[in-house]
Amino acid sequence: MRLAISQRKSDSTFLRVMPMRKLLRPIKDVGIVGYGAYVPMFRIKSAEIGRVWGINAFPIEEKAVNNLDEDALTIGIEAARNALKRAKIDPGLIRAIWFGSESKPYAVKPSATVIAEAIGATPHLDAADFEFACKAGTEALQAAIGFVGSGMAEYAMAIGADTAQGRPGDHLEFTAAAGGAAYIVGEKSSETLAYFEGSYSYVTDTPDFWRRQHEHYPRHGNRFTGEPAYFRHIINAAKGLMEELGLTVNDFDYAVFHQPNVKFPLTVAKILGIPVERVKPGLLSGVIGNTYSGATLVGVSAVLDIAKPGERILWVSFGSGAGSDAFSLVVQDAIEEKRDLAPKTWDYINRKKYIDYALYVKHRGKLLM
Amino acid sequence: MGKPMQVSRFWRHFKEKYRLIGTKCKKCGKIHFPPRQVCNECGSREMEEVQLSGRGKVISWTIVRNPPSGFEYYKPYPLALIELEEGPIILAQLTDVEPEEITFGMEVEMVTRKIREFNEDGIILYGYKFRPPVK
Ligand SMILES: [Zn+2]
C-alpha cells in the first residue's frame, strides 16, 4: 500500500516536469526536394452514376477512375517518378519509402517495396505501408519529416494513393476516386522547394468509418461523419498548429483541407475565416473526386504548381477513425526551376476521357470472369 | 500451370520489367533491350547497364481480341512494336489509348502498370506498357 502511494507520487512528479508540447518539429529543419502527382485519365460524371441509381443531387461534378491495369501501387509509382524528376537526386539516396493507402493491392505484401524497386531505390532503404483511412499519406509524411529531421536519413519519400471504393448506390460512390501524390523530404537547403515550419497531429477514437477484414466496402456511421469527426479534427488541428507557431489565418496564402466533397472544406474555410480564393487552388474534389489517402497530397501539389517563393501553405488532412495532420509549409526559390521538370497536376486533370457506368464497373474490376 | 516458375522468372527480370534497364556495349556503343551479355553487333562481352528513357514511337500494332490466359479481363487491348529512342525495338501493350487513336509513328512513353493477375488470390505482375505522352 505504501509502495503504491509513493509510486503514484513519483508518477505525478514525472508528469509535472514534462512540459506540454503540441507542435511536432524535428531537430533539423526539413523541406520538400521533389513532389509529384498522378491522376488517372478516366472520368465518370456524377449524373451517370445517378442515372443508374435514380439519384439526381450530387456532391461533386465528376471523379477520376483508374484504368483496368492501374491500382494504388501503379498510381504511387508514377507519382514517385514525378517527385524524383523534380528532386533531381540519385534514387539510391532515398532511405525510406512509406506508402499510405487504404486500397493496397495486397492485404499482406507491402506495396512500398514494389515502388522502391520501380524507381531504383532498392536495397538500402526502409519501406512500409501506412494505414489511417484518408490520412495515411500525411501520416507517412510526418514519419518522413522525423526520419530526415533526426538525421537518420538524407531523403525519405512519403506517398498517398488510392483507388477508393464506394458501395454501389451508396452516396460514397459519387466521390470515391483514384489518384495520388508523392513527396521527397530532405534537409532544408537551396534545393528544397518548400520547407516545413512545423506540424501537429490531432487524434481521437471516433467510429465514423471503417472496413473489417474480408469486407469489400467500408461502412460509415452517418451520425459521426460530419461534426464530431471531420470538422472537429480538422479545425482543432489547424487551430492548434497556428497557435503553436504564433500564426493566424491571415499569414497563409493557401489552405488545403481534406476534401471528401466540395462543401466540407469550404465550410472549414468559412469557420476558420479563410477566404474562398485561398482554398480553391488546392480544392480538386469537384473535378477528380475524393482520392482518400491522396486527397490533400494531390491538392497541395496543385498549389505548388502555381505558388510563389515566400508564400505560406496551410495543409490539413483528415482520416476517419479519426485524426488530422496539420502542416505549415513555406515555398522557397527552388520551386521556380523545379515545377516544370514533371507534368503538373492540372496536366493530368485536363487529360480526361469519360466512361459510362458499364465501363466504370469493368474498370473497377467488378465483373467476374 | 507452372505458376511459381513464371513468377520467379519474372522476378529475376524486375530491373528490365519495372525500369527499362538495358545494356550498352562498351566497345561499339550499341544499346540492347532486353539486356544482353554479348553484343549482337560486334561480339564484345563488355557490357554496362543503362537506363533507357522510356520514350519511343509505335512502328506497328494490332488489337488483341482473344488474349492468352491471365489477360482476358483486359481485352480488347493494343499490342505494339515500339522503337525506343535509343534504338532497340520492343513488343509491349499500349494503354490509356483507344484503338482508333493509334497511328504509325505515334510518340509514346513508358509507364508501369499491371501486366497480369493470377486469379483473385495470386500474385500480381507489374511491368512496362506505353501510352501517349502526358506532356
Ligand atoms: Zn558492340
Side-chain angles (χ1 to χ4, degrees):
Chain A
M1 194 60 186
R2 255 178 178 211
L3 192 70
I5 290 167
S6 73
Q7 185 69 48
R8 245 181 41 203
K9 233 179 177 173
S10 74
D11 276 352
S12 66
T13 314
F14 179 70
L15 283 172
R16 259 206 311 276
V17 297
M18 287 292 285
M20 179 64 194
R21 261 186 82 198
K22 285 196 206 165
L23 192 69
L24 297 167
R25 190 151 57 188
I27 296 164
K28 292 181 173 191
D29 283 334
V30 300
I32 296 163
V33 293
Y35 70 96
Y38 176 70
V39 179
M41 74 180 298
F42 298 92
R43 302 284 178 280
I44 186 164
K45 285 188 176 292
S46 288
E48 171 65 6
I49 299 174
R51 180 181 67 85
V52 175
W53 301 108
I55 299 169
N56 48 29
F58 321 115
I60 63 168
E61 182 72 20
E62 58 198 44
K63 69 169 186 174
V65 180
N66 54 290
N67 201 344
L68 287 169
D69 56 6
E70 292 182 294
D71 56 23
L73 195 161
T74 64
I75 289 170
I77 290 174
E78 184 150 352
R81 284 190 177 134
N82 285 335
L84 206 49
K85 283 179 194 164
R86 289 192 174 107
K88 296 192 290 182
I89 59 168
D90 173 353
L93 294 174
I94 297 172
R95 306 300 304 284
I97 294 183
W98 289 319
F99 178 70
S101 179
E102 60 169 63
S103 48
K104 298 176 294 172
Y106 292 100
V108 177
K109 185 188 181 301
S111 297
T113 54
V114 182
I115 297 171
E117 196 74 55
I119 66 166
T122 49
H124 308 293
L125 82 163
D126 185 88
D129 294 358
F130 279 55
E131 212 171 301
F132 192 145
C134 294
K135 95 171 180 82
T138 54
E139 198 67 53
L141 182 61
Q142 288 283 37
I145 291 170
F147 210 46
V148 174
S150 68
M152 274 178 77
E154 298 93 313
Y155 299 105
M157 181 185 274
I159 306 168
D162 262 308
T163 52
Q165 296 268 18
R167 186 181 297 275
D170 185 277
H171 70 84
L172 288 181
E173 194 188 11
F174 290 99
T175 53
Y183 289 79
I184 303 174
V185 175
E187 195 178 345
K188 185 190 169 193
S189 73
S190 60
E191 295 298 304
T192 43
L193 51 88
Y195 69 91
F196 291 98
E197 288 186 297
S199 60
Y200 173 53
S201 289
Y202 185 91
V203 167
T204 70
D205 178 11
T206 307
D208 56 330
F209 181 89
W210 63 88
R211 179 169 67 82
R212 293 288 298 269
Q213 282 277 31
H214 312 300
E215 287 291 313
H216 286 292
Y217 304 107
R219 295 195 169 276
H220 46 89
N222 274 315
R223 283 186 321 115
F224 282 106
T225 48
E227 290 302 322
Y230 178 87
F231 292 105
R232 176 183 167 204
H233 291 83
I234 289 204
I235 287 164
N236 280 316
K239 281 185 173 169
L241 179 75
M242 288 189 281
E243 207 177 286
E244 290 285 307
L245 289 172
L247 299 171
T248 72
V249 289
N250 300 323
D251 296 310
F252 292 92
D253 302 280
Y254 300 98
V256 180
F257 301 117
H258 180 55
Q259 33 206 272
N261 49 39
V262 176
K263 200 171 82 184
F264 277 24
L266 287 178
T267 306
V268 167
K270 203 171 166 191
I271 294 168
L272 291 172
I274 298 171
V276 176
E277 319 84 74
R278 296 190 198 166
V279 179
K280 282 269 166 76
L283 181 49
L284 307 174
S285 54
V287 286
I288 64 169
N290 178 4
T291 58
Y292 283 52
S293 303
T296 57
L297 286 83
V298 177
V300 170
S301 77
V303 170
L304 290 172
D305 282 345
I306 57 162
K308 295 183 197 67
E311 289 187 321
R312 190 181 268 127
I313 303 165
L314 175 63
W315 173 355
V316 193
S317 66
F318 170 73
S320 294
S324 282
D325 297 316
F327 306 87
S328 177
L329 257 184
V330 178
V331 181
Q332 293 175 263
D333 294 341
I335 190 70
E336 305 281 18
E337 47 131 353
K338 285 190 167 184
R339 64 164 58 113
D340 293 321
L341 300 177
K344 298 205 177 87
T345 304
W346 274 94
D347 292 334
Y348 287 111
I349 298 175
N350 290 329
R351 180 190 77 127
K352 62 181 174 183
K353 182 169 289 169
Y354 290 104
I355 54 175
D356 62 10
Y357 198 84
L359 261 180
Y360 164 72
V361 168
K362 188 183 177 191
H363 279 232
R364 300 296 294 120
K366 299 265 180 271
L367 300 171
L368 296 174
M369 299 290 280
Chain B
M1 284 293 287
K3 269 185 219 168
M5 208 193 77
Q6 283 182 342
V7 171
S8 69
R9 194 170 61 205
F10 199 90
W11 181 67
R12 284 198 303 274
H13 296 285
F14 271 168
K15 271 193 194 168
E16 58 183 87
K17 301 284 187 199
Y18 284 4
R19 276 191 280 148
L20 231 51
I21 299 286
T23 48
K24 184 179 180 184
C25 173
K26 282 185 175 174
K27 211 166 156 198
C28 76
K30 185 168 182 192
I31 291 174
H32 321 89
F33 189 88
R36 295 183 64 97
Q37 286 178 315
V38 181
C39 180
N40 59 357
E41 188 73 27
C42 72
S44 167
R45 287 178 171 275
E46 280 192 58
M47 296 290 188
E48 58 183 352
E49 283 192 345
V50 53
Q51 168 76 65
L52 304 182
S53 72
R55 283 184 294 274
K57 55 185 193 214
V58 172
I59 54 176
S60 177
W61 81 94
T62 183
I63 304 299
V64 178
R65 293 177 194 282
N66 294 297
S69 120
F71 297 87
E72 297 95 335
Y73 201 81
Y74 300 125
K75 74 183 180 186
Y77 59 84
L79 191 63
L81 276 175
I82 292 149
E83 186 181 350
L84 299 174
E85 66 179 4
E86 294 88 351
I89 291 170
I90 64 173
L91 182 68
Q93 279 188 45
L94 300 180
T95 190
D96 289 358
V97 65
E98 296 296 327
E100 60 272 18
E101 294 166 358
I102 304 168
T103 56
F104 288 104
M106 183 176 81
E107 305 256 341
V108 288
E109 64 183 3
M110 188 272 269
V111 288
T112 306
R113 295 287 175 91
K114 280 195 285 187
I115 299 292
R116 188 171 185 187
E117 281 179 66
F118 295 99
N119 307 322
E120 280 271 283
D121 59 351
I123 197 92
I124 306 166
L125 297 183
Y126 297 92
Y128 54 77
K129 292 189 183 181
F130 288 79
R131 69 158 181 222
V134 169
K135 72 166 216 183

